[in-house]
């Protein structure tokens, strides 16, 4: 609930809010991690190098988080990947490098989150009238698609209205 309030009341880039959201990414409760990721969409400026560096450090220190929280370490790597997809841009080499590394993670949940995050970054970089779909046979992007205006929530593993 506190992170939802921060999302609604805080201006973009507010330092104390950013710290609270980064703490939320590492919270043992899934709901808090999801709320922190959602708050990033409105509170964190896309491409913020400090936030990206913090998220990469959180992802890399997942073993320490696991010992402190008693939760599986892949959960924080998953949350960090999703957060990187929210704030990363195609110009963030650190974000893309961390996501690329996560594509080879031992846990499929982290791989799935990294794939989804890369898609979010690519989607924002694409021209407005261009919808990314791929022909499975030729792997060629298509200009028209049957895109439905819903977004997939990887933690809930279901489609939500956008």
């Amino acid at each position: 609930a506190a992170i939802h309030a921060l999302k609604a009341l805080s201006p973009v880039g507010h330092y104390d809010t950013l710290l609270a959201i980064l703490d939320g990414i590492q919270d043992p409760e899934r709901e808090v991690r999801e709320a922190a990721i959602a708050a990033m969409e409105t509170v964190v400026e896309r491409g913020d190098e400090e936030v990206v560096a913090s998220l990469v450090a959180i992802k890399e220190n997942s073993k320490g988080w696991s010992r402190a929280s008693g939760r599986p370490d892949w959960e924080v790597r998953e949350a960090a990947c999703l957060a990187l997809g929210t704030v990363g841009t195609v110009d963030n080499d650190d974000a893309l490098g961390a996501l690329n590394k996560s594509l080879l993670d031992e846990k499929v949940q982290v791989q799935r989150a990294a794939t989804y995050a890369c898609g979010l970054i690519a989607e924002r970089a694409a021209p407005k009238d261009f919808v990314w779909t791929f022909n499975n046979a030729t792997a060629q992007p298509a200009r028209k698609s049957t895109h439905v205006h819903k977004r997939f929530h990887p933690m809930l593993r279901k489609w939500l209205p956008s």
Side-chain angles (χ1 to χ4, degrees):
I3 289 184
H4 290 296
L6 287 172
K7 177 182 173 183
L9 300 174
S10 296
V12 173
H14 187 262
Y15 182 75
D16 291 334
T17 304
L18 294 176
L19 290 178
I21 289 173
L22 290 171
D23 284 343
I25 295 291
Q26 302 175 77
D27 196 272
E29 297 298 321
R30 176 177 286 279
E31 294 81 21
V32 175
R33 292 192 304 269
E34 290 174 359
I37 293 167
M40 283 194 156
E41 293 178 12
T42 57
V43 176
V44 177
E45 186 176 335
R46 285 203 172 92
D48 186 322
E49 293 290 337
E50 290 181 31
V51 173
V52 168
S54 296
L55 289 170
V56 170
I58 288 168
K59 189 182 94 51
E60 297 300 324
N61 188 34
S62 63
K63 301 284 185 200
W65 175 84
S66 178
R67 284 189 298 275
S69 68
R71 303 286 304 160
D73 61 330
W74 66 266
E75 290 180 353
V76 76
R77 291 197 311 273
E78 177 188 40
C81 285
L82 294 172
L84 283 167
T86 300
V87 300
T89 65
V90 293
D91 298 324
N92 287 121
D93 291 337
D94 291 341
L96 295 175
L99 291 171
N100 190 34
K101 183 177 176 182
S102 295
L103 293 172
L104 302 173
D105 196 276
E106 72 254 8
K107 295 300 281 185
V108 71
Q109 294 90 336
V110 177
Q111 294 173 5
R112 188 178 300 129
T115 303
Y116 180 75
C118 288
L120 287 176
I121 292 170
E123 185 177 37
R124 286 193 304 270
K128 293 290 183 201
D129 63 339
F130 196 80
V131 178
W132 287 95
T133 60
F134 286 91
N135 178 322
N136 288 340
T138 62
Q140 297 297 313
R143 286 216 175 255
K144 299 291 181 188
S145 94
T146 56
H147 178 70
V148 178
H149 293 286
K150 292 185 177 183
R151 64 184 181 94
F152 184 74
H153 192 290
M155 288 184 156
L156 297 176
R157 292 176 179 71
K158 67 179 181 179
W159 291 94
L160 301 174
S162 17

